[in-house]
Amino acid sequence: MVAGTGRALIARRVGVWPRVSGVYSGHMSAGTLTLCDDCGLLQQSPRLPPRGSAQCVRCGKTLHRHQPDSVNRTLALTLTGLVLFIVANSFPFLSFEMQGRSTETTLITGVVDLTAQGKGEVAAVVFFTSILAPGLQLLLLLIVLTPLKLGRPLPPGFPTLFRWFKRLVPWGMMDVFMIGILVSVVKLTDMANIVPGLSLFAFVVLIFVLAAAQASLAPDVVWERVPLPPEARRPPARGEVVVGCDVCELVVPAGAAKIDRQGRARCPRCTDVLHRRKPRSLERTWALLIAATICYVPANLYPIMAVTSLGQTQADTILSGVLFLLHHGMWPLAIVVFTASIFVPLLKLLLLFFLLLSVHFKSSWQPRRRTLMYRVTEAIGRWSMVDVYVVTILVALVRLGNLASIEAQAGAVFFCAVVILTMFAAMSFDPRLIWDAMEQDHVGARSGSPSVAAT
Ligand SMILES: [Zn+2]
Ligand SMILES: [Zn+2]
């Protein structure tokens, strides 16, 4: 089974299916125990060859990936990324030239202009997703990896810093911002001359460098450096409930978890609160999903921006933006904007409604396919930010008063809310609930959960 560079390996299940997925059946060596994030199955991870990966036997999720020379490669990419980040934020980004007049923008101009137009909520989201989250990710990687590379003691609060890095990853959306730039430039080509600045080139390279840094990072290598208390190192007893940490992926016997002052079980390695399932997953997901559905209506009915050209003002909704691109023969971009702004949010709402109802009615239909649907909702949501970025970039570029100017409108606020609420909804949903319904006939998955971990 352990062969060939790059070959996918399958994690091993031992003997029969466990009756309750989080209970140790006594057949595995504790050092390589893994709990799958997506289906909750306890299994044994094989030793990986270079660049090999291990998949869950039940749902197919990639559990581990071997990254050769992870620390050196990730650190080199992080340092390159930091230099590019400083360049991208220090020089002109795009220039807009029309009838002898011009405006010059930097990366932050759109955020400042949106705030000035009273759309502070949208400005905060754009600032966080396009500048702050990528910048913080690079900084946290530098702080975490430098002592590892130099063989120095780990900095205080190291697990918290690395935990924050992991939490920030889905919120860095520079790649989506890039699509926003493309759409904005194409929209303005008839009207004016757009000149790219030095920052834009640094920004494009940074997208690839940050993605490469994330891909070359093997979190196991980092977590292995955090010493474990003896209690957490003991193998679970046969039939004992084990708990997996969602952040550092440590699997420990429930009794080995540290209990804090509020009585919550905490991971002995990264100190994150341990849950057998995400707390109040269904209630939270329902609440966020209903809020997103309500916001979806004004997001599509209200204009997202008002365009003033030669003294005449015209309001643009999301749909009219797509039609504009179609009428001007730019159908590839029209398809991109339609998919990102209309199709993806609707698909995400429908998939989440379907998943919630299927869990509610304890459906046993195709759990593997439903887990895949969940992964799709998690992966596609961020691409809907394209239109929010288009508004931000246009507002920053087109600032020539009555000659030509663009102002953000209420639709942009509601649309931004839809994207963020559906992202939080997907994060709140626990796909392990899909599989719990499959175990209802057995010992009873829920009654088997340890009291310390049921926070
Ligand atoms: Zn799984
Ligand atoms: Zn942990």
Side-chain angles (χ1 to χ4, degrees):
M1 188 136 90
V2 181
T5 303
R7 279 268 306 277
L9 298 167
I10 304 291
R12 193 153 60 98
R13 95 182 138 86
V14 181
V16 294
W17 291 108
R19 288 187 160 188
V20 177
S21 52
V23 175
Y24 184 60
S25 62
H27 293 288
M28 310 174 216
S29 69
T32 53
L33 286 181
T34 297
L35 266 170
C36 174
D37 266 0
D38 279 5
C39 73
L41 182 71
L42 184 68
Q43 54 209 295
Q44 191 172 29
S45 239
R47 190 181 295 277
L48 296 176
R51 297 185 186 281
S53 60
Q55 271 83 37
C56 170
V57 283
R58 188 157 74 166
C59 73
K61 183 197 163 96
T62 298
L63 299 171
H64 296 287
R65 207 182 281 281
H66 180 267
Q67 297 291 353
D69 203 17
S70 171
V71 172
N72 284 334
R73 282 175 41 199
T74 315
L75 189 59
L77 288 162
T78 303
L79 288 168
T80 314
L82 277 166
V83 174
L84 289 166
F85 182 81
I86 293 167
V87 174
N89 281 283
S90 311
F91 295 93
F93 198 71
L94 285 170
S95 303
F96 174 87
E97 295 171 7
M98 184 181 177
Q99 296 185 3
R101 295 173 65 183
S102 71
T103 53
E104 201 168 69
T105 64
T106 59
L107 199 48
I108 193 97
T109 312
V111 173
V112 176
D113 289 358
L114 277 178
T115 313
Q117 291 182 4
K119 302 287 181 290
E121 319 82 346
V122 184
V125 172
V126 172
F127 175 67
F128 181 68
T129 53
S130 63
I131 301 176
L132 192 62
L136 277 178
Q137 277 181 60
L138 289 166
L139 198 63
L140 289 172
L141 272 183
L142 183 75
I143 297 171
V144 166
L145 294 178
T146 308
L148 280 180
K149 166 74 186 155
L150 300 176
R152 296 266 170 82
L154 297 170
F158 162 84
T160 312
L161 296 175
F162 198 57
R163 198 169 65 197
W164 273 103
F165 165 77
K166 194 177 168 182
R167 293 244 164 98
L168 281 170
V169 169
W171 296 102
M173 302 188 196
M174 289 193 305
D175 41 359
V176 186
F177 194 88
M178 194 60 225
I179 303 290
I181 294 171
L182 274 179
V183 175
S184 312
V185 169
V186 170
K187 275 192 167 191
L188 293 175
T189 40
D190 283 355
M191 190 179 176
N193 196 18
I194 310 294
V195 185
L198 177 64
S199 281
L200 182 62
F201 295 106
F203 188 83
V204 174
V205 183
L206 177 57
I207 293 171
F208 291 98
V209 169
L210 184 59
Q214 287 167 357
S216 65
L217 180 70
D220 318 17
V221 177
V222 180
W223 288 120
E224 276 164 13
R225 290 286 298 271
V226 181
L228 280 178
E231 174 63 5
R233 286 199 297 260
R234 81 166 165 84
R238 194 186 170 101
E240 190 173 8
V241 173
V242 292
V243 204
C245 173
D246 286 342
V247 174
C248 73
E249 292 171 8
L250 180 72
V251 175
V252 284
K258 287 198 291 190
I259 307 297
D260 68 9
R261 282 186 195 153
Q262 285 89 36
R264 292 175 302 189
R266 284 188 176 269
C267 173
R269 184 156 70 178
C270 74
T271 70
D272 199 46
V273 179
L274 293 172
H275 312 284
R276 192 167 173 274
R277 299 290 177 260
K278 289 178 189 171
R280 293 189 294 281
S281 167
L282 292 182
E283 294 95 318
R284 281 185 188 185
T285 315
W286 271 121
L288 290 161
L289 191 59
I290 291 167
T293 311
I294 293 169
C295 289
Y296 187 74
V297 179
N300 282 283
L301 291 180
Y302 285 130
I304 54 167
M305 60 184 161
V307 183
T308 304
S309 182
L310 303 171
Q312 290 208 324
T313 303
Q314 186 201 331
D316 244 349
T317 61
I318 290 172
L319 191 61
S320 71
V322 176
L323 294 176
F324 171 89
L325 290 170
L326 265 184
H327 287 152
H328 286 73
M330 293 176 266
W331 59 267
L333 267 186
I335 292 173
V336 170
V337 176
F338 176 82
T339 308
S341 306
I342 297 174
F343 180 68
V344 165
L346 198 60
L347 178 72
K348 216 177 150 178
L349 292 175
L350 292 175
L351 281 177
L352 281 170
F353 269 119
F354 172 73
L355 289 174
L356 281 171
L357 288 173
S358 80
V359 169
H360 190 78
F361 290 109
K362 297 186 170 54
S363 161
S364 57
W365 178 80
Q366 299 271 8
R368 201 170 161 127
R369 189 167 291 177
R370 280 185 285 151
T371 310
L372 187 67
M373 286 178 185
Y374 164 73
R375 286 183 207 136
V376 169
T377 56
E378 263 211 317
I380 59 174
R382 56 207 292 282
W383 290 96
S384 307
M385 281 295 281
V386 166
D387 249 349
V388 175
Y389 292 142
V390 169
V391 173
T392 311
I393 295 158
L394 291 179
V395 161
L397 276 174
V398 190
R399 289 179 296 157
L400 299 176
N402 266 343
L403 179 62
S405 64
I406 291 179
E407 203 171 309
Q409 299 293 306
V413 181
F414 286 109
F415 188 75
C416 191
V418 172
V419 182
I420 301 302
L421 286 169
T422 49
M423 279 186 72
F424 276 124
M427 287 173 187
S428 311
F429 182 76
D430 195 330
R432 290 169 290 196
L433 298 175
I434 296 172
W435 297 87
D436 281 349
M438 315 294 292
E439 293 172 356
Q440 296 299 307
D441 298 338
H442 300 294
V443 181
R446 295 207 176 82
S447 61
S449 61
S451 57
V452 286
T455 45

